[in-house]
Protein backbone atom coordinates (compact mmCIF):
# COMPACT_ATOMS: atom_id res chain seq x y z
CA UNK A 1 0.00 0.00 0.00
CA UNK A 2 1.28 3.48 -0.80
CA UNK A 3 2.45 5.58 2.12
CA UNK A 4 1.31 8.97 0.79
CA UNK A 5 -1.33 10.30 -1.55
CA UNK A 6 -0.39 10.68 -5.20
CA UNK A 7 -1.30 14.04 -6.77
CA UNK A 8 -2.43 13.87 -10.40
CA UNK A 9 -3.53 16.58 -12.83
CA UNK A 10 -4.11 17.18 -16.51
CA UNK A 11 -5.22 19.75 -18.99
CA UNK A 12 -8.28 19.22 -21.19
CA UNK A 13 -6.36 17.09 -23.73
CA UNK A 14 -5.06 14.79 -21.03
CA UNK A 15 -8.32 14.39 -19.12
CA UNK A 16 -9.38 10.96 -20.48
CA UNK A 17 -5.96 9.40 -19.82
CA UNK A 18 -5.75 11.04 -16.39
CA UNK A 19 -9.12 9.57 -15.43
CA UNK A 20 -8.09 6.11 -16.63
CA UNK A 21 -4.79 6.25 -14.70
CA UNK A 22 -6.56 7.55 -11.60
CA UNK A 23 -9.15 4.77 -11.67
CA UNK A 24 -6.50 2.08 -12.13
CA UNK A 25 -4.33 3.46 -9.32
CA UNK A 26 -7.28 3.67 -6.95
CA UNK A 27 -8.28 0.10 -7.83
CA UNK A 28 -4.75 -0.96 -6.82
CA UNK A 29 -5.12 0.75 -3.43
CA UNK A 30 -3.41 4.07 -4.07
CA UNK A 31 -4.86 7.24 -2.61
CA UNK A 32 -5.01 9.70 -5.51
CA UNK A 33 -5.54 13.44 -5.15
CA UNK A 34 -7.07 14.81 -8.36
CA UNK A 35 -5.96 18.44 -8.75
CA UNK A 36 -7.89 18.99 -11.98
CA UNK A 37 -8.91 19.70 -14.59
CA UNK A 38 -12.32 18.14 -14.23
CA UNK A 39 -13.93 19.13 -17.52
CA UNK A 40 -13.31 19.20 -21.25
CA UNK A 41 -13.14 23.00 -21.55
CA UNK A 42 -9.80 24.42 -22.62
CA UNK A 43 -7.42 25.21 -19.73
CA UNK A 44 -3.78 26.26 -19.41
CA UNK A 45 -1.50 23.31 -18.63
CA UNK A 46 1.07 25.34 -16.61
CA UNK A 47 -1.57 26.00 -13.96
CA UNK A 48 -2.08 22.28 -13.37
CA UNK A 49 1.62 21.42 -13.59
CA UNK A 50 2.27 24.00 -10.87
CA UNK A 51 -0.29 22.40 -8.54
CA UNK A 52 1.36 18.99 -8.70
CA UNK A 53 4.91 20.41 -8.66
CA UNK A 54 4.18 22.48 -5.55
CA UNK A 55 2.74 19.44 -3.74
CA UNK A 56 5.78 17.31 -4.54
CA UNK A 57 8.33 20.07 -3.85
CA UNK A 58 6.69 20.77 -0.48
CA UNK A 59 7.04 17.12 0.49
CA UNK A 60 3.30 16.48 0.55
CA UNK A 61 3.86 13.57 -1.83
CA UNK A 62 6.96 11.73 -3.04
CA UNK A 63 5.70 11.58 -6.63
CA UNK A 64 3.21 13.24 -8.95
CA UNK A 65 1.56 12.51 -12.28
CA UNK A 66 0.78 14.98 -15.08
CA UNK A 67 -0.99 14.43 -18.39
CA UNK A 68 -1.46 16.70 -21.40
CA UNK A 69 -1.63 16.10 -25.14
CA UNK A 70 2.08 15.30 -25.55
CA UNK A 71 3.36 15.34 -21.96
CA UNK A 72 6.01 17.82 -23.03
CA UNK A 73 4.30 21.03 -21.92
CA UNK A 74 3.55 19.58 -18.50
CA UNK A 75 7.17 18.44 -18.07
CA UNK A 76 8.54 21.83 -19.09
CA UNK A 77 6.18 23.66 -16.74
CA UNK A 78 6.82 21.31 -13.79
CA UNK A 79 10.60 21.45 -14.23
CA UNK A 80 10.55 25.21 -13.63
CA UNK A 81 9.99 24.42 -9.94
CA UNK A 82 13.03 23.88 -7.73
CA UNK A 83 13.41 20.27 -6.64
CA UNK A 84 11.25 18.89 -9.42
CA UNK A 85 12.51 16.39 -11.95
CA UNK A 86 9.65 15.69 -14.33
CA UNK A 87 10.07 13.32 -17.25
CA UNK A 88 7.86 12.42 -20.20
CA UNK A 89 7.46 8.64 -20.24
CA UNK A 90 6.65 6.44 -23.22
CA UNK A 91 7.36 3.02 -21.73
CA UNK A 92 8.50 1.14 -18.64
CA UNK A 93 12.17 1.25 -19.64
CA UNK A 94 12.17 5.05 -19.60
CA UNK A 95 10.25 4.96 -16.33
CA UNK A 96 12.81 2.67 -14.69
CA UNK A 97 15.81 4.64 -15.95
CA UNK A 98 14.45 8.07 -15.08
CA UNK A 99 13.79 6.93 -11.51
CA UNK A 100 17.00 4.91 -11.07
CA UNK A 101 19.38 7.41 -12.67
CA UNK A 102 17.63 10.81 -12.49
CA UNK A 103 15.53 10.49 -9.31
CA UNK A 104 12.57 11.83 -11.30
CA UNK A 105 9.63 12.68 -9.07
CA UNK A 106 6.91 13.54 -11.58
CA UNK A 107 5.78 11.22 -14.36
CA UNK A 108 4.35 13.00 -17.41
CA UNK A 109 2.31 11.37 -20.15
CA UNK A 110 1.02 12.44 -23.53
CA UNK A 111 -2.58 11.38 -24.05
CA UNK A 112 -2.10 11.70 -27.82
CA UNK A 113 1.09 9.62 -27.86
CA UNK A 114 0.55 6.68 -25.50
CA UNK A 115 -2.15 4.13 -24.77
CA UNK A 116 -3.69 3.57 -21.36
CA UNK A 117 -2.10 0.16 -20.73
CA UNK A 118 1.38 1.31 -21.75
CA UNK A 119 1.04 4.45 -19.61
CA UNK A 120 -0.17 2.43 -16.65
CA UNK A 121 2.70 -0.06 -17.01
CA UNK A 122 5.19 2.83 -17.14
CA UNK A 123 3.58 4.50 -14.13
CA UNK A 124 3.67 1.31 -12.05
CA UNK A 125 7.36 0.92 -12.92
CA UNK A 126 8.04 4.58 -12.10
CA UNK A 127 6.42 4.28 -8.67
CA UNK A 128 8.19 1.00 -7.84
CA UNK A 129 11.74 1.89 -8.93
CA UNK A 130 14.10 3.31 -6.31
CA UNK A 131 16.76 5.92 -7.04
CA UNK A 132 20.18 4.25 -7.24
CA UNK A 133 22.09 7.19 -5.78
CA UNK A 134 25.86 6.72 -5.96
CA UNK A 135 27.38 8.30 -9.05
CA UNK A 136 23.94 9.49 -10.10
CA UNK A 137 23.49 11.64 -6.98
CA UNK A 138 26.22 14.12 -7.88
CA UNK A 139 24.57 14.61 -11.28
CA UNK A 140 21.11 15.11 -9.79
CA UNK A 141 22.60 17.63 -7.35
CA UNK A 142 23.63 19.76 -10.34
CA UNK A 143 20.09 20.07 -11.71
CA UNK A 144 18.82 22.81 -9.40
CA UNK A 145 20.34 26.31 -9.48
CA UNK A 146 23.32 26.76 -7.13
CA UNK A 147 22.13 27.72 -3.67
CA UNK A 148 18.51 26.77 -4.42
CA UNK A 149 16.57 25.60 -1.42
CA UNK A 150 14.82 22.34 -2.18
CA UNK A 151 12.19 20.66 -0.09
CA UNK A 152 11.76 17.61 -2.29
Amino acid sequence: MPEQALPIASDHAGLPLKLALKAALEAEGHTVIDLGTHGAESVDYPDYAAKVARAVAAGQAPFGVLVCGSGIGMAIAANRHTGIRAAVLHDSTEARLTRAHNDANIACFGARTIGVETALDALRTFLATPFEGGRHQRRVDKLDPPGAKTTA
Side-chain angles (χ1 to χ4, degrees), residues 79-102:
N79 281 322
R80 296 186 55 82
H81 296 261
T82 300
I84 296 302
R85 293 168 303 281
V88 181
L89 303 177
H90 300 97
D91 57 43
S92 60
T93 299
E94 289 176 352
R96 180 179 52 78
L97 291 171
T98 196
R99 281 289 307 127
H101 295 183
N102 309 116

Side-chain angles (χ1 to χ4, degrees), residues 44-125:
D44 297 333
Y45 64 86
D47 298 336
Y48 295 92
K51 291 179 181 188
V52 171
R54 283 193 294 261
V56 173
Q60 297 168 355
F63 303 112
V65 180
L66 292 168
V67 187
C68 65
S70 68
I72 297 167
M74 285 292 199
I76 291 169
N79 281 322
R80 296 186 55 82
H81 296 261
T82 300
I84 296 302
R85 293 168 303 281
V88 181
L89 303 177
H90 300 97
D91 57 43
S92 60
T93 299
E94 289 176 352
R96 180 179 52 78
L97 291 171
T98 196
R99 281 289 307 127
H101 295 183
N102 309 116
D103 198 18
N105 50 17
I106 297 181
C108 300
F109 296 98
R112 296 177 179 141
T113 63
I114 194 169
V116 173
E117 290 305 317
T118 302
L120 187 55
D121 184 47
L123 184 53
R124 286 180 184 128
T125 301

Side-chain angles (χ1 to χ4, degrees), residues 127-152:
L127 296 174
T129 303
F131 176 51
E132 290 179 4
R135 72 184 190 279
H136 302 294
Q137 184 62 58
R138 76 173 182 273
R139 297 165 184 156
V140 170
D141 289 343
K142 294 178 180 183
L143 295 177
D144 282 323
K149 181 180 176 186
T150 61
T151 55

